[in-house]
Amino acid sequence: MDFLPVFLDLRDHRCLVVGGGEVAERKTGLLLRAGAAVTVIAPQLCQGLRRRVADGAVTHHARRYAEGDLDGCRLAFACTDDRAVNAEVSRAAQARNIPVNVADDPALCSFIMPSIIDRSPIVAAVSTGGASPVLARLIRMRLEQLIPTTLGRLAGFTASFRDQVKARFASGRERKAFWEAVLQGPIAERVLAGQEPAARKMLEQALASSSLAVGGEVYLVGGGPGDPDLLCSRALRLMQQADVVVYDRLVSQAVLDLTRRDAERLYVGKERDRHALPQEEINALLARLAKEGKRVLRLKGGDPFIFGRGGEEIETLMEEGVPFQVVPGITAAAGCAAYAGIPLTHRDYSQACLFVTGHLKDGTADLNWTALAQPHQTVVIYMGLNALPIVCRELQGHGMPAETPIALIEKGTTPEQRVIIGTLADMPERVAGASVRAPTLIIVGEVVRLHERLAWFEPGD
């Protein structure tokens, strides 16, 4: 180990920054976040530092560094573009045993700055010992994606219960086991999800009984339109925690592969005229699994609340008293349209957007065709492949011009994405000879004309 990681207490201590550019601004920002009293020495300041001085957050002396500026300082940064000045600050600081960092000059530093992941009061630091600062930043970026932004809230929550837990459990081993159960179970998830009052109640009940009964829970997660990179960090965290995965046909394999490898997987997908499980049985299955103490991931394509029947599922969970969380997903309309280069709204083409389902019932698509055929709007049709001839016929019959552009997007956002462009007049014929299979999304409106100009996603990338 070339450097000893140390976290310094700088609160209310005077720290010096020599320099007035963007690097000096970044160092000043870090010191202020640590509660330091910052003095900046520089003839001129960048805009960001000028704002901090104007706000009274920083003391500024508009001159060059001078002997004595380090008196009473706990820490110093030299950030000028003049190496001689930086070296002078470094020598003076080290002569006074004041830790000093010189930007981009490790030879003049008595300490180096790591890349920081700040989830105060939790702080993690990554350093390559000055060998590759860019690599340290890349590692930090990966960790930023993995560590919940609300982790600091969880630390504060546990701190508020430390005395009670210590009083309740006599031995350190018991306290350790208790906290491990808390931090790996539903109480921690409640805190991370912003449901602190519920978490507090659960922990108080656990303390009253001197045990932590770990109950089941359902995570209703939107898996997005197919590209796993579109999942949010909270979705990924819950996907890795679940004991059982209950998933739909529209969940892509790439997304399913991100769930915990040893989790049980239950397929409940629905296809035309063939359902693995009726919806009522899916609802009951989720409640039963959770009541068995399992963490159940209900993974849906797109967003659970946009033609995903998520509302019906959580109604059952609430009736059964089963705790649950909902994580929205990028709905197919937003994801597929973006990857196809078709903005759903555009000032010159469309000022409204309607989402409808084209799922046939008794061979018909019972939609408000008059409302859908209005000008200056975009119509997005989910599950409309089999109803496409009816859609094109009815929209024309209710006043939409035959030359209105329409797009059909097959397997959107995935490497197999295909976009077929036509008009209301010729689209059924185009699709009939193209061997198209679900999942598909249909977009109708003038915005479709922008596809060739704005498309950026190349399938297979």
Side-chain angles (χ1 to χ4, degrees), residues 265-288:
R265 294 183 179 182
L266 301 177
Y267 175 71
V268 295
K270 303 181 182 70
E271 300 180 47
R272 187 187 182 194
D273 301 326
R274 186 174 66 186
H275 293 181
L277 276 183
Q279 185 62 50
E280 292 76 13
E281 292 186 28
I282 295 174
N283 302 346
L285 173 67
L286 298 175
R288 177 176 62 79

mmCIF file of all heavy atoms in Angstrom, residues 265-288:
data_model
loop_
_atom_site.group_PDB
_atom_site.id
_atom_site.type_symbol
_atom_site.label_atom_id
_atom_site.label_comp_id
_atom_site.label_asym_id
_atom_site.label_seq_id
_atom_site.Cartn_x
_atom_site.Cartn_y
_atom_site.Cartn_z
ATOM 1 N N ARG A 265 -37.368 -19.198 -10.925
ATOM 2 C CA ARG A 265 -37.996 -18.419 -11.993
ATOM 3 C C ARG A 265 -39.321 -19.069 -12.387
ATOM 4 O O ARG A 265 -39.369 -20.273 -12.686
ATOM 5 C CB ARG A 265 -37.083 -18.322 -13.214
ATOM 6 C CG ARG A 265 -35.816 -17.519 -12.956
ATOM 7 C CD ARG A 265 -34.980 -17.401 -14.210
ATOM 8 N NE ARG A 265 -33.777 -16.615 -13.983
ATOM 9 C CZ ARG A 265 -32.892 -16.326 -14.917
ATOM 10 N NH1 ARG A 265 -33.081 -16.770 -16.159
ATOM 11 N NH2 ARG A 265 -31.817 -15.608 -14.639
ATOM 12 N N LEU A 266 -40.379 -18.261 -12.387
ATOM 13 C CA LEU A 266 -41.709 -18.745 -12.742
ATOM 14 C C LEU A 266 -42.242 -17.918 -13.908
ATOM 15 O O LEU A 266 -42.419 -16.705 -13.796
ATOM 16 C CB LEU A 266 -42.657 -18.626 -11.539
ATOM 17 C CG LEU A 266 -42.248 -19.387 -10.272
ATOM 18 C CD1 LEU A 266 -43.236 -19.106 -9.155
ATOM 19 C CD2 LEU A 266 -42.166 -20.875 -10.548
ATOM 20 N N TYR A 267 -42.497 -18.579 -15.031
ATOM 21 C CA TYR A 267 -43.006 -17.897 -16.228
ATOM 22 C C TYR A 267 -44.526 -17.846 -16.179
ATOM 23 O O TYR A 267 -45.192 -18.880 -16.032
ATOM 24 C CB TYR A 267 -42.535 -18.621 -17.482
ATOM 25 C CG TYR A 267 -43.119 -18.059 -18.759
ATOM 26 C CD1 TYR A 267 -42.723 -16.815 -19.230
ATOM 27 C CD2 TYR A 267 -44.073 -18.772 -19.479
ATOM 28 C CE1 TYR A 267 -43.262 -16.297 -20.405
ATOM 29 C CE2 TYR A 267 -44.619 -18.268 -20.647
ATOM 30 C CZ TYR A 267 -44.206 -17.025 -21.106
ATOM 31 O OH TYR A 267 -44.729 -16.503 -22.258
ATOM 32 N N VAL A 268 -45.078 -16.644 -16.302
ATOM 33 C CA VAL A 268 -46.535 -16.489 -16.285
ATOM 34 C C VAL A 268 -46.994 -15.659 -17.477
ATOM 35 O O VAL A 268 -47.981 -14.940 -17.416
ATOM 36 C CB VAL A 268 -47.004 -15.819 -14.962
ATOM 37 C CG1 VAL A 268 -46.721 -16.719 -13.773
ATOM 38 C CG2 VAL A 268 -46.338 -14.454 -14.766
ATOM 39 N N GLY A 269 -46.239 -15.750 -18.570
ATOM 40 C CA GLY A 269 -46.516 -14.913 -19.736
ATOM 41 C C GLY A 269 -47.836 -15.226 -20.409
ATOM 42 O O GLY A 269 -48.373 -16.335 -20.306
ATOM 43 N N LYS A 270 -48.322 -14.213 -21.123
ATOM 44 C CA LYS A 270 -49.576 -14.349 -21.858
ATOM 45 C C LYS A 270 -49.308 -14.150 -23.346
ATOM 46 O O LYS A 270 -48.646 -13.212 -23.750
ATOM 47 C CB LYS A 270 -50.602 -13.320 -21.374
ATOM 48 C CG LYS A 270 -50.912 -13.381 -19.896
ATOM 49 C CD LYS A 270 -51.957 -12.345 -19.548
ATOM 50 C CE LYS A 270 -52.250 -12.340 -18.054
ATOM 51 N NZ LYS A 270 -51.132 -11.818 -17.261
ATOM 52 N N GLU A 271 -49.821 -15.047 -24.138
ATOM 53 C CA GLU A 271 -49.791 -14.904 -25.582
ATOM 54 C C GLU A 271 -51.225 -14.949 -26.092
ATOM 55 O O GLU A 271 -52.157 -15.292 -25.359
ATOM 56 C CB GLU A 271 -48.954 -16.026 -26.211
ATOM 57 C CG GLU A 271 -47.501 -16.054 -25.745
ATOM 58 C CD GLU A 271 -46.716 -17.174 -26.387
ATOM 59 O OE1 GLU A 271 -46.834 -17.330 -27.616
ATOM 60 O OE2 GLU A 271 -46.009 -17.890 -25.668
ATOM 61 N N ARG A 272 -51.375 -14.605 -27.352
ATOM 62 C CA ARG A 272 -52.719 -14.581 -27.914
ATOM 63 C C ARG A 272 -53.381 -15.961 -27.773
ATOM 64 O O ARG A 272 -52.853 -16.975 -28.237
ATOM 65 C CB ARG A 272 -52.651 -14.187 -29.388
ATOM 66 C CG ARG A 272 -54.020 -13.978 -30.020
ATOM 67 C CD ARG A 272 -53.893 -13.765 -31.506
ATOM 68 N NE ARG A 272 -55.199 -13.518 -32.105
ATOM 69 C CZ ARG A 272 -55.439 -13.556 -33.419
ATOM 70 N NH1 ARG A 272 -54.445 -13.823 -34.256
ATOM 71 N NH2 ARG A 272 -56.643 -13.326 -33.887
ATOM 72 N N ASP A 273 -54.522 -15.970 -27.098
ATOM 73 C CA ASP A 273 -55.309 -17.185 -26.900
ATOM 74 C C ASP A 273 -54.575 -18.253 -26.107
ATOM 75 O O ASP A 273 -54.956 -19.427 -26.124
ATOM 76 C CB ASP A 273 -55.754 -17.776 -28.258
ATOM 77 C CG ASP A 273 -56.598 -16.799 -29.064
ATOM 78 O OD1 ASP A 273 -57.345 -16.042 -28.440
ATOM 79 O OD2 ASP A 273 -56.463 -16.794 -30.298
ATOM 80 N N ARG A 274 -53.482 -17.893 -25.416
ATOM 81 C CA ARG A 274 -52.762 -18.887 -24.613
ATOM 82 C C ARG A 274 -52.113 -18.191 -23.423
ATOM 83 O O ARG A 274 -51.161 -17.434 -23.588
ATOM 84 C CB ARG A 274 -51.701 -19.596 -25.461
ATOM 85 C CG ARG A 274 -51.028 -20.741 -24.693
ATOM 86 C CD ARG A 274 -50.092 -21.501 -25.601
ATOM 87 N NE ARG A 274 -48.962 -20.693 -26.023
ATOM 88 C CZ ARG A 274 -48.057 -21.085 -26.904
ATOM 89 N NH1 ARG A 274 -48.173 -22.272 -27.475
ATOM 90 N NH2 ARG A 274 -47.053 -20.307 -27.231
ATOM 91 N N HIS A 275 -52.622 -18.427 -22.243
ATOM 92 C CA HIS A 275 -52.112 -17.821 -21.024
ATOM 93 C C HIS A 275 -51.474 -18.896 -20.160
ATOM 94 O O HIS A 275 -52.099 -19.927 -19.870
ATOM 95 C CB HIS A 275 -53.233 -17.136 -20.231
ATOM 96 C CG HIS A 275 -53.791 -15.941 -20.945
ATOM 97 N ND1 HIS A 275 -54.792 -15.172 -20.405
ATOM 98 C CD2 HIS A 275 -53.492 -15.387 -22.141
ATOM 99 C CE1 HIS A 275 -55.099 -14.191 -21.254
ATOM 100 N NE2 HIS A 275 -54.324 -14.309 -22.310
ATOM 101 N N ALA A 276 -50.235 -18.652 -19.739
ATOM 102 C CA ALA A 276 -49.588 -19.588 -18.819
ATOM 103 C C ALA A 276 -50.371 -19.662 -17.515
ATOM 104 O O ALA A 276 -50.558 -20.737 -16.942
ATOM 105 C CB ALA A 276 -48.145 -19.157 -18.558
ATOM 106 N N LEU A 277 -50.839 -18.525 -17.033
ATOM 107 C CA LEU A 277 -51.693 -18.441 -15.851
ATOM 108 C C LEU A 277 -52.690 -17.313 -16.054
ATOM 109 O O LEU A 277 -52.308 -16.225 -16.518
ATOM 110 C CB LEU A 277 -50.868 -18.139 -14.603
ATOM 111 C CG LEU A 277 -50.187 -19.292 -13.848
ATOM 112 C CD1 LEU A 277 -49.496 -18.739 -12.608
ATOM 113 C CD2 LEU A 277 -51.172 -20.376 -13.456
ATOM 114 N N PRO A 278 -53.953 -17.500 -15.711
ATOM 115 C CA PRO A 278 -54.895 -16.376 -15.730
ATOM 116 C C PRO A 278 -54.447 -15.304 -14.737
ATOM 117 O O PRO A 278 -53.761 -15.597 -13.744
ATOM 118 C CB PRO A 278 -56.218 -17.027 -15.293
ATOM 119 C CG PRO A 278 -56.039 -18.484 -15.545
ATOM 120 C CD PRO A 278 -54.589 -18.769 -15.334
ATOM 121 N N GLN A 279 -54.853 -14.068 -14.979
ATOM 122 C CA GLN A 279 -54.403 -12.966 -14.146
ATOM 123 C C GLN A 279 -54.768 -13.158 -12.683
ATOM 124 O O GLN A 279 -53.973 -12.852 -11.791
ATOM 125 C CB GLN A 279 -54.983 -11.642 -14.659
ATOM 126 C CG GLN A 279 -54.466 -10.410 -13.933
ATOM 127 C CD GLN A 279 -52.972 -10.228 -14.083
ATOM 128 O OE1 GLN A 279 -52.440 -10.271 -15.181
ATOM 129 N NE2 GLN A 279 -52.273 -10.021 -12.970
ATOM 130 N N GLU A 280 -55.941 -13.671 -12.412
ATOM 131 C CA GLU A 280 -56.358 -13.851 -11.024
ATOM 132 C C GLU A 280 -55.427 -14.832 -10.297
ATOM 133 O O GLU A 280 -55.135 -14.661 -9.109
ATOM 134 C CB GLU A 280 -57.799 -14.372 -10.966
ATOM 135 C CG GLU A 280 -58.857 -13.375 -11.440
ATOM 136 C CD GLU A 280 -58.898 -13.230 -12.952
ATOM 137 O OE1 GLU A 280 -58.271 -14.082 -13.652
ATOM 138 O OE2 GLU A 280 -59.505 -12.269 -13.449
ATOM 139 N N GLU A 281 -54.963 -15.854 -11.006
ATOM 140 C CA GLU A 281 -54.057 -16.813 -10.392
ATOM 141 C C GLU A 281 -52.667 -16.207 -10.179
ATOM 142 O O GLU A 281 -51.976 -16.553 -9.227
ATOM 143 C CB GLU A 281 -53.972 -18.076 -11.254
ATOM 144 C CG GLU A 281 -55.270 -18.874 -11.283
ATOM 145 C CD GLU A 281 -55.103 -20.189 -12.030
ATOM 146 O OE1 GLU A 281 -53.973 -20.730 -12.047
ATOM 147 O OE2 GLU A 281 -56.100 -20.673 -12.591
ATOM 148 N N ILE A 282 -52.263 -15.312 -11.083
ATOM 149 C CA ILE A 282 -50.984 -14.613 -10.885
ATOM 150 C C ILE A 282 -51.055 -13.765 -9.621
ATOM 151 O O ILE A 282 -50.129 -13.758 -8.796
ATOM 152 C CB ILE A 282 -50.648 -13.733 -12.103
ATOM 153 C CG1 ILE A 282 -50.417 -14.597 -13.344
ATOM 154 C CG2 ILE A 282 -49.409 -12.878 -11.820
ATOM 155 C CD1 ILE A 282 -50.212 -13.802 -14.620
ATOM 156 N N ASN A 283 -52.162 -13.033 -9.465
ATOM 157 C CA ASN A 283 -52.337 -12.206 -8.276
ATOM 158 C C ASN A 283 -52.221 -13.047 -7.007
ATOM 159 O O ASN A 283 -51.517 -12.681 -6.048
ATOM 160 C CB ASN A 283 -53.699 -11.511 -8.295
ATOM 161 C CG ASN A 283 -53.911 -10.647 -9.533
ATOM 162 O OD1 ASN A 283 -52.956 -10.345 -10.262
ATOM 163 N ND2 ASN A 283 -55.140 -10.243 -9.765
ATOM 164 N N ALA A 284 -52.905 -14.183 -7.001
ATOM 165 C CA ALA A 284 -52.890 -15.060 -5.826
ATOM 166 C C ALA A 284 -51.502 -15.664 -5.612
ATOM 167 O O ALA A 284 -51.058 -15.836 -4.462
ATOM 168 C CB ALA A 284 -53.932 -16.168 -5.993
ATOM 169 N N LEU A 285 -50.801 -15.980 -6.696
ATOM 170 C CA LEU A 285 -49.463 -16.556 -6.593
ATOM 171 C C LEU A 285 -48.503 -15.590 -5.909
ATOM 172 O O LEU A 285 -47.725 -15.988 -5.026
ATOM 173 C CB LEU A 285 -48.946 -16.902 -7.987
ATOM 174 C CG LEU A 285 -47.490 -17.364 -8.076
ATOM 175 C CD1 LEU A 285 -47.311 -18.713 -7.382
ATOM 176 C CD2 LEU A 285 -47.048 -17.441 -9.539
ATOM 177 N N LEU A 286 -48.556 -14.331 -6.290
ATOM 178 C CA LEU A 286 -47.664 -13.328 -5.683
ATOM 179 C C LEU A 286 -47.900 -13.240 -4.180
ATOM 180 O O LEU A 286 -46.943 -13.213 -3.391
ATOM 181 C CB LEU A 286 -47.883 -11.966 -6.341
ATOM 182 C CG LEU A 286 -47.572 -11.860 -7.841
ATOM 183 C CD1 LEU A 286 -47.948 -10.482 -8.358
ATOM 184 C CD2 LEU A 286 -46.106 -12.152 -8.118
ATOM 185 N N ALA A 287 -49.177 -13.192 -3.795
ATOM 186 C CA ALA A 287 -49.490 -13.091 -2.365
ATOM 187 C C ALA A 287 -49.038 -14.336 -1.612
ATOM 188 O O ALA A 287 -48.475 -14.241 -0.509
ATOM 189 C CB ALA A 287 -50.992 -12.867 -2.194
ATOM 190 N N ARG A 288 -49.259 -15.502 -2.195
ATOM 191 C CA ARG A 288 -48.889 -16.741 -1.511
ATOM 192 C C ARG A 288 -47.378 -16.855 -1.311
ATOM 193 O O ARG A 288 -46.910 -17.212 -0.228
ATOM 194 C CB ARG A 288 -49.397 -17.943 -2.316
ATOM 195 C CG ARG A 288 -48.984 -19.285 -1.717
ATOM 196 C CD ARG A 288 -49.585 -20.454 -2.477
ATOM 197 N NE ARG A 288 -49.149 -20.520 -3.852
ATOM 198 C CZ ARG A 288 -47.971 -21.003 -4.252
ATOM 199 N NH1 ARG A 288 -47.092 -21.449 -3.356
ATOM 200 N NH2 ARG A 288 -47.662 -21.051 -5.524
#
